[in-house]
Amino acid sequence: ASKMGKTFVDESGNGYDASYSTVWLEEKEPVTDYAYAIAVVGDTQIASMYDVRNGTTIMKDTYKWIADNVESKKIVQVLGLGDITETSMSPVMDDETATERQKEWANAKASITQLDGKVAYSLVRGNHDVIVDFEANFGSYTPYTSQFDGFYEGSILNSYRLFTAGG
């Protein structure tokens, strides 16, 4: 049997199709009797960049799926793992890059905030995300900051939330 999984076609037309290997995967029946789930979204910077450059909606679709499936999938928390945007840490900051940087953050915020009022979420600033941009977009955004139980030194860069799930 082939060990190649599904191929995902690059909708931008740039030819960056992706396939995954099933060498390390075993076919299993889906787990359906779980008490709760935590959704993990990591390294969205490439999706953010593609959306801005190519007019795709990868990042928005990802967070929309989570928002739409909170109840059916028993999602109690969404964890963002960092690297929200790509160009925020660009070594070249000409006008075009600065504009793309702003558009990426606008796209990221519009995507992520689809979770507001549906499920709690936390974000981690990655090495691609300048602190000032992260704080400007989420530091005073009350629907985000109000869900935390505390902050170390008053900064969203070091926050925590306590929650109970599944009893």
Side-chain angles (χ1 to χ4, degrees):
S2 171
K3 293 294 183 182
M4 288 307 296
K6 182 178 177 180
T7 296
F8 298 91
V9 177
D10 175 12
E11 293 178 9
S12 71
N14 292 324
Y16 297 116
D17 296 350
S19 297
Y20 63 87
S21 169
T22 59
V23 170
W24 301 106
L25 301 176
E26 294 179 31
E27 292 292 325
K28 302 260 184 187
E29 290 296 316
V31 176
T32 58
D33 62 346
Y34 55 92
Y36 65 92
I38 297 173
V40 180
V41 182
D43 296 274
T44 56
Q45 79 263 28
I46 300 301
S48 180
M49 180 183 69
Y50 277 9
D51 287 350
V52 167
R53 291 182 182 177
N54 302 307
T56 55
T57 57
I58 300 164
M59 195 166 179
K60 283 183 181 150
D61 293 347
T62 299
Y63 282 98
K64 183 178 183 332
W65 185 92
I66 295 170
D68 289 349
N69 287 279
V70 166
E71 191 172 314
S72 67
K73 300 295 184 188
K74 304 176 189 174
I75 301 170
V76 297
Q77 178 76 32
V78 180
L79 303 177
L81 300 182
D83 289 338
I84 299 165
T85 65
E86 176 67 14
T87 58
S88 190
M89 287 292 284
S90 177
V92 176
M93 198 48 70
D94 55 22
D95 289 344
E96 184 177 337
T97 305
T99 299
E100 183 170 319
R101 174 180 170 177
Q102 291 172 340
K103 287 180 179 178
E104 278 191 50
W105 277 106
N107 179 60
K109 189 168 184 180
S111 299
I112 295 165
T113 59
Q114 292 177 97
L115 302 176
D116 289 348
K118 295 181 177 145
V119 65
Y121 59 98
S122 62
L123 304 169
V124 175
R125 181 195 72 85
N127 66 312
H128 286 257
D129 306 314
V130 173
I131 291 172
V132 69
D133 290 342
F134 182 68
E135 288 178 332
N137 283 278
F138 290 99
S140 60
Y141 182 63
T142 304
Y144 179 64
T145 59
S146 67
Q147 64 187 327
F148 293 101
D149 292 306
F151 303 91
Y152 176 70
E153 296 185 355
S155 171
I156 66 164
L157 298 177
N158 296 292
S159 58
Y160 68 92
R161 178 171 183 267
L162 305 173
F163 65 93
T164 300

